[in-house]
Amino acid sequence: MQLRNWVCLFLMGAINNLPYVIVNSAASTIADRFNHSDLVGVVFGANVSLSVFVKSLNTFLLLKVSYTLRYIVNGCIMLLGLFGISYAFNFAFAIVCIAVVGSSSAFGENVTLGFLTRYPSSLVNAWASGTGMAGLLGASIFIIFGCSVGDENDQNQEKSDKLQQLNKWAFLLTTPVVIIYWAAYFFMVKTPDTSNDAMPGKQQETSGYTTNYTEPKLIARVIEDADQLIQGQVQGEMSKNTTTLLLKKESGCGKFWRCFKLVLWLGLNLSGVYVFEYVARGCAAKVRPSKEYNVGCPELYASLQLCYQAGVFVSRSSVQMFRIRKVEILTVLQLLNMLLWIVDVHYKFIPVAALPALMVYVGLLGGASYVNIFFALLNDEKFPKEDRELCVNIVGLFINLGIVIGTGLETALFTTILK
């Protein structure tokens, strides 16, 4: 069942993020289609514009709504956005549909991270690895489509017609994956049995050894140890009951504030990593003169984005092999990485041959921070089991905070000192 659940959550992660990644990868194509090549940043902004809203909606109002209903609604929103972009008749309508697609990805992420609290914490690796695969697929699709658009010397009308067809079929051909998304949740993923009730003939861990309730001699062994354990058990039950009573009396705002303080350090680190990596990714568009970007196929910027996604995929798939507990180290390394890219935008001293490896490094750091932080939230005892869904939803909001700050900082740098 563990392998089956791993595959299902991998598929859900890949499908949840795929439309979002394709929009980002095709941002230039979408803007060019409507003769707004100077508004590529608007496409990126629209893709995250509703993220904080839908994640807050899920965190504060929908945690008691069934996962089934939330997954059905999210799939419908995803389809609505994909069909809307495919048949967009002007740039404004396309932007609205892109916001819908981005909201689906953000909402699905928070819902699934909460859903993962029902499973062994190691399965966060399946979800994270799937989201990394979405990045690889989206970037690859963009490169393939970009190479087929045609020469830059095409007549404007001819190129516009090609871009229209590329946009239409790229997003239309993505719509069937929603069926797989629903199938993975409804028919494939299995919720583990968490019942701890002792049943006749069933083996259960008691006092550090296995007890079989059909064998009297082992029952006698349990009774023999009972007087040694009873004091500790009673104290433990009293402590547990007291904690439960306090949590029941706790207000909704009080619970949120307590969880917020509990996850603040992890949230700040995840937000910081996103700020630094988004600035570094934006710098990839300016580390060489513009005339060098469109030489050959794929062009340089698209190639570097594919390298970034490759790094994300590898690191988001790594938590089952090794863990990084000091996530602040990743944050500091990504800060240094960002500064290196900013300096290179101005001085252009890094050889072109070294840029792909550096962009893979950006992805490795970002993906490692994401998967290790959410693994900690779902695994470490410092985060109470009854609060984990709220905790992961709060940290999910920090992701969008980092993206918003990162894109704002990038825009400020490129319109002032790095103009």
Side-chain angles (χ1 to χ4, degrees):
M1 186 172 70
Q2 182 83 349
L3 177 60
R4 176 173 177 165
N5 284 342
W6 199 100
V7 172
C8 292
L9 290 165
F10 176 88
L11 288 173
M12 292 172 70
I15 293 168
N16 184 82
N17 279 30
L18 184 60
Y20 171 86
V21 173
I22 292 177
V23 167
N24 276 350
S25 300
S28 179
T29 304
I30 293 171
D32 284 347
R33 158 70 185 90
F34 298 103
N35 299 318
H36 287 294
S37 58
D38 55 334
L39 297 181
V40 175
V42 176
V43 177
F44 286 109
N47 214 11
V48 297
S49 60
L50 297 179
S51 298
V52 173
F53 170 74
V54 296
K55 285 188 174 183
S56 300
L57 187 68
N58 182 63
T59 301
F60 301 119
L61 298 178
L62 302 179
L63 291 186
K64 293 184 179 180
V65 176
S66 71
Y67 284 106
T68 297
L69 180 58
R70 282 185 277 174
Y71 277 118
I72 290 174
V73 170
N74 195 51
C76 292
I77 294 173
M78 195 182 302
L79 286 172
L80 183 65
L82 289 170
F83 280 117
I85 297 173
S86 301
Y87 293 102
F89 50 85
N90 61 35
F91 187 64
F93 184 77
I95 289 299
V96 171
C97 295
I98 288 168
V100 173
V101 166
S103 69
S104 170
S105 175
F107 184 75
E109 179 180 53
N110 257 30
V111 170
T112 304
L113 288 170
F115 184 59
L116 280 168
T117 59
R118 300 182 173 190
Y119 294 86
S121 55
S122 59
L123 285 179
V124 72
N125 188 60
W127 162 263
S129 182
T131 60
M133 177 56 70
L136 279 178
L137 291 174
S140 298
I141 289 172
F142 171 72
I143 287 175
I144 293 170
F145 286 173
C147 289
S148 63
V149 167
D151 191 276
E152 289 292 324
N153 295 323
D154 285 348
Q155 295 297 319
N156 287 339
Q157 184 59 47
E158 181 183 354
K159 185 174 181 179
S160 178
D161 291 341
K162 288 183 178 181
L163 291 172
Q164 181 180 10
Q165 293 303 312
L166 287 171
N167 289 339
K168 177 180 179 180
W169 290 108
F171 291 101
L172 279 181
L173 293 174
T174 306
T175 56
V177 301
V178 178
I179 305 300
I180 303 175
Y181 180 73
W182 280 331
Y185 172 74
F186 284 105
F187 305 112
M188 297 173 65
V189 71
K190 298 293 183 182
T191 304
D193 182 12
T194 57
S195 174
N196 291 321
D197 297 334
M199 300 294 292
K202 180 179 178 180
Q203 290 188 341
Q204 182 176 351
E205 290 295 321
T206 308
S207 304
Y209 52 81
T210 301
T211 300
N212 189 309
Y213 289 88
T214 63
E215 297 189 19
K217 63 180 182 179
L218 292 183
I219 296 177
R221 188 178 176 186
V222 174
I223 295 173
E224 184 180 345
D225 289 343
D227 59 339
Q228 300 175 18
L229 297 171
I230 189 168
Q231 185 63 36
Q233 289 174 341
V234 169
Q235 290 177 352
E237 287 299 321
M238 290 176 62
S239 176
K240 188 182 298 183
N241 291 337
T242 302
T243 301
T244 302
L245 184 62
L246 289 173
L247 290 176
K248 284 183 178 179
K249 291 183 177 180
E250 187 178 35
S251 66
C253 292
K255 181 178 181 179
F256 173 80
W257 179 242
R258 177 173 55 80
C259 291
F260 178 82
K261 291 187 292 184
L262 196 61
V263 303
L264 180 60
W265 179 246
L266 293 179
L268 288 174
N269 275 279
L270 188 58
S271 180
V273 163
Y274 269 83
V275 170
F276 306 144
E277 77 173 44
Y278 264 72
V279 174
R281 290 177 67 187
C283 288
K286 291 183 172 290
V287 289
R288 286 295 177 274
S290 58
K291 64 181 181 180
E292 295 184 25
Y293 276 87
N294 296 317
V295 178
C297 185
E299 46 95 13
L300 180 59
Y301 180 76
S303 301
L304 292 177
Q305 296 309 303
L306 180 61
C307 292
Y308 163 80
Q309 298 295 351
V312 169
F313 174 68
V314 171
S315 58
R316 287 195 178 190
S317 306
S318 66
V319 76
Q320 287 181 322
M321 293 178 285
F322 60 88
R323 281 197 63 191
I324 301 174
R325 297 182 182 276
K326 299 290 186 180
V327 293
E328 57 271 19
I329 296 175
L330 300 172
T331 310
V332 172
L333 291 175
Q334 195 73 296
L335 170 61
L336 297 176
N337 209 2
M338 177 193 74
L339 294 175
L340 178 64
W341 282 88
I342 289 175
V343 172
D344 189 56
V345 168
H346 183 72
Y347 293 103
K348 297 180 172 48
F349 65 94
I350 300 176
V352 174
L355 293 176
L358 283 175
M359 190 53 72
V360 169
Y361 182 52
V362 174
L364 287 172
L365 293 175
S369 179
Y370 179 97
V371 73
N372 281 280
I373 284 175
F374 282 111
F375 183 87
L377 289 167
L378 296 171
N379 185 69
D380 289 356
E381 293 182 357
K382 67 176 290 186
F383 305 105
K385 186 175 181 180
E386 61 271 15
D387 294 330
R388 282 179 180 170
E389 184 171 10
L390 178 58
C391 286
V392 297
N393 277 269
I394 292 172
V395 173
L397 292 171
F398 277 92
I399 294 176
N400 297 94
L401 176 64
I403 293 174
V404 170
I405 295 175
T407 53
L409 178 59
E410 172 191 330
T411 302
L413 287 171
F414 292 164
T415 55
T416 55
I417 60 176
L418 296 179
K419 187 174 181 180

